[in-house]
Amino acid sequence: LLSVSFGLRPNDKERIYMEVFDCVYHGKLNFSDAYNLPVALRKFWIKKTTEQIIREQKDEAEKLKIQAR
């Protein structure tokens, strides 16, 4: 008989922990809240946080360009 497992594979665990890290480090959530977020909400949180960081970096670069003139 073959054993069927619906558990997480090692690379799945690493991906989840990276998502949790991103939520904690960049998204200012605590570990427990980030870890217990439903998957769809965690992915949404990461997407929005990433968009915000990119927007802030572009704004900062534009500000530095203006100051350099």
Side-chain angles (χ1 to χ4, degrees):
L1 276 164
L2 291 175
S3 174
V4 177
S5 172
F6 294 100
L8 296 173
R9 296 172 298 198
N11 59 337
D12 292 333
K13 289 180 184 179
E14 183 176 344
R15 180 184 49 79
I16 290 168
Y17 286 136
M18 286 304 299
E19 289 177 359
V20 169
F21 172 82
D22 289 340
C23 287
V24 171
Y25 188 80
H26 300 291
K28 310 296 190 246
L29 294 177
N30 65 45
F31 178 84
S32 181
D33 289 344
Y35 188 80
N36 291 312
L37 275 176
V39 173
L41 186 54
R42 186 170 61 228
K43 291 187 181 301
F44 173 81
W45 189 272
I46 291 169
K47 178 182 176 209
K48 289 300 180 183
T49 302
T50 301
E51 289 172 359
Q52 182 63 31
I53 290 169
I54 291 169
R55 193 169 26 255
E56 289 172 3
Q57 288 174 340
K58 286 180 181 177
D59 291 347
E60 185 64 25
E62 194 62 34
K63 189 189 315 182
L64 290 173
K65 273 186 190 178
I66 291 170
Q67 290 175 352
R69 290 181 187 171

